[in-house]
Amino acid sequence: MAKIKKRIKTIKIDVDKCNGCRACEMICSAFHANPKYSGNNPERSRIRMIREPLRDVYLPVYAGEYTAAECMGRDKLVIDGKEYEECDFCRASCPSRDIFKEPDSGLPLKCDMCEDDPPQEKPLCVQWCINNALTYEEREEEVEEEVKLEDVEIGLESMVDKYGLQKVMDTVARMAKKE
């Protein structure tokens, strides 16, 4: 196993600043419309607002990994006098709920941090949050990861097919000089 540096990108959520305006949902669904900005369907958004306006509870949650199994988390949590269901904090797309699933196909959605074409400096939901309830954080962590030689070869072959051998070799040489 080799230690590699991995860039971790997260959206920090300050629940106390959120007023439930749903601007994050709207811009996310417009950015992920096909073609971009051609429609606005909050069901396609990778961030959702868990709302209970009568109790003044607004909780933005962005989509994480897909999980094929249901969890056992059905507890209720009380934070600063506000009650939440444990599922409200879950970012997974799972079989027990419809949140974070593409409305037409039922396929799971996952937040891509708006790195699609054109890539954004920070996710649009963060840029459009008027109360700064959402903030973007990026950090590097060293993690141990097993790198299989056959995976490296497959990746290199596909890059050579796409960009040509000389361009790949030039890039590797340039990267070696940086270290």
Side-chain angles (χ1 to χ4, degrees):
M1 287 210 207
K3 283 194 174 195
I4 61 167
K5 285 189 178 180
K6 199 172 199 177
R7 179 170 250 121
I8 308 295
K9 300 174 182 184
T10 59
I11 298 172
K12 186 177 175 183
I13 300 167
D14 187 341
V15 178
D16 292 329
K17 290 182 179 179
C18 182
N19 68 358
C21 72
R22 299 178 71 187
C24 53
E25 283 185 1
M26 297 301 118
I27 192 60
C28 183
S29 68
F31 182 76
H32 289 96
N34 194 5
K36 282 201 187 323
Y37 306 108
S38 65
N40 193 341
N41 181 351
E43 293 295 312
R44 286 192 167 81
S45 176
R46 275 80 169 148
I47 188 166
R48 301 288 170 81
M49 184 63 57
I50 308 300
R51 302 174 64 232
E52 290 185 41
L54 295 177
R55 294 188 355 210
D56 195 32
V57 174
Y58 304 102
L59 177 66
V61 178
Y62 66 99
E65 299 289 334
Y66 170 74
T67 180
E70 292 183 35
C71 70
M72 300 305 292
R74 302 288 186 258
D75 296 334
K76 293 196 184 261
L77 308 170
V78 177
I79 301 172
D80 293 332
K82 298 176 186 174
E83 189 175 284
Y84 302 92
E85 288 188 19
E86 198 170 5
C87 278
D88 291 343
F89 294 99
C90 184
R91 297 178 38 226
S93 173
C94 76
S96 66
R97 59 188 188 152
D98 290 332
I99 194 168
F100 300 132
K101 291 191 179 149
E102 180 23 77
D104 297 330
S105 66
L107 293 171
L109 298 172
K110 182 178 186 264
C111 178
D112 59 5
M113 299 288 174
C114 298
E115 291 181 339
D116 203 3
D117 190 25
Q120 303 294 311
E121 186 176 313
K122 45 185 167 171
L124 288 171
C125 60
V126 173
Q127 294 178 42
W128 281 64
C129 183
I130 58 174
N131 289 337
N132 296 320
L134 304 175
T135 52
Y136 178 68
E137 292 183 346
E138 207 173 303
R139 67 185 187 282
E140 278 192 3
E141 285 184 5
E142 263 194 23
V143 294
E144 284 197 22
E145 195 170 283
E146 186 176 339
V147 179
K148 296 179 183 171
L149 191 57
E150 62 191 45
D151 291 344
V152 174
E153 288 177 3
I154 291 169
L156 280 172
E157 284 178 15
S158 66
M159 289 191 330
V160 167
D161 289 346
K162 185 172 183 177
Y163 300 107
L165 180 61
Q166 190 58 49
K167 189 160 190 162
V168 171
M169 288 173 50
D170 292 345
T171 303
V172 170
R174 188 180 72 249
M175 290 171 66
K177 286 181 184 178
K178 286 183 182 178
E179 292 181 17

